[in-house]
């Protein structure tokens, strides 16, 4: 297991802010465990920590919005990764609009997609959400915020 942990610590992949809405609640968090998992039909897997409020809200949601964070927006990564929605309204200090099924779309993330939740999977300390993309935007093409950049953000909830 040590070899896997050492290898995983060297990886650098995109970090996303995932938002959702259900039962008059909004939630969002910084997420690193994601992947496209099918081309035809298009599918994407988002893994949310069971310790995270976003996962609790997502249990009742129809849609998740997956935002690719621009490299220069560390402030957004710190807000959604370093604060917990149990104590802070993360949406109070950011510009957003309701997207599909009311899920928040962050104005300051030009690259995003909304995915209809097709299934949920218990993956240990995370729950996997299989998404079918239904809407989105890809207006920018610059560098994105990565896992290695996020390593110094103290998590709002323990992992």
């Amino acid at each position: 297991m040590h070899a896997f942990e050492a290898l995983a610590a060297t990886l650098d992949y995109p970090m996303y802010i995932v938002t959702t809405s259900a039962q008059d609640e909004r939630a969002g968090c910084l997420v690193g465990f994601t992947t496209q998992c099918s081309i035809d039909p298009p599918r994407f897997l988002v893994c949310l920590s069971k310790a995270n409020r976003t996962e609790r809200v997502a249990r009742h949601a129809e849609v998740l919005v997956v935002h690719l964070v621009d490299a220069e927006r560390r402030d957004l990564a710190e807000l959604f990764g370093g604060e917990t929605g149990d104590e802070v309204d993360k949406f109070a200090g950011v510009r957003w609009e309701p997207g599909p099924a009311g899920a928040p779309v962050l104005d300051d993330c030009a690259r995003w997609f909304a995915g209809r939740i097709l299934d949920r999977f218990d993956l240990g300390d995370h729950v996997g959400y299989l998404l079918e993309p239904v809407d989105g935007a890809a207006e920018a093409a610059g560098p994105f915020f990565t896992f290695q950049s996020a390593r110094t953000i103290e998590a709002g909830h323990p992992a």
Side-chain angles (χ1 to χ4, degrees):
M1 214 38 139
H2 176 70
F4 171 76
E5 291 167 355
L7 176 125
T10 66
L11 298 176
D12 205 15
Y13 43 82
M15 296 296 290
Y16 298 89
I17 294 173
V18 174
T19 59
T20 193
S21 175
Q23 300 176 333
D24 297 323
E25 290 188 82
R26 290 184 306 268
C29 63
L30 188 66
V31 175
F33 299 154
T34 63
T35 189
Q36 181 176 349
C37 54
S38 177
I39 296 169
D40 187 19
R43 298 289 185 261
F44 197 82
L45 182 69
V46 171
C47 303
L48 299 176
S49 170
K50 291 178 181 177
N52 197 303
R53 180 175 178 275
T54 303
E55 196 283 318
R56 293 191 305 274
V57 173
R59 291 176 197 167
H60 308 284
E62 299 173 31
V63 168
L64 299 181
V65 179
V66 181
H67 305 81
L68 185 60
V69 182
D70 288 344
E72 71 274 2
R73 294 310 309 261
R74 182 177 181 85
D75 60 319
L76 286 176
E78 288 179 346
L79 173 63
F80 282 90
E83 300 291 340
T84 172
D86 292 327
E87 299 170 2
V88 173
D89 179 358
K90 298 179 188 182
F91 299 95
V94 298
R95 296 177 305 133
W96 64 275
E97 298 179 21
V105 176
L106 303 176
D107 291 349
D108 292 323
C109 290
R111 294 175 281 184
W112 63 273
F113 76 91
R116 184 171 65 89
I117 299 169
L118 298 178
D119 211 343
R120 295 166 174 86
F121 305 94
D122 187 328
L123 301 173
D125 60 1
H126 283 66
V127 175
Y129 287 80
L130 181 63
L131 305 180
E132 172 187 37
V134 296
D135 196 2
E139 299 172 12
F144 48 80
F145 194 79
T146 67
F147 172 73
Q148 294 299 329
S149 299
R151 291 178 64 98
T152 58
I153 297 174
E154 186 174 330
H157 272 291

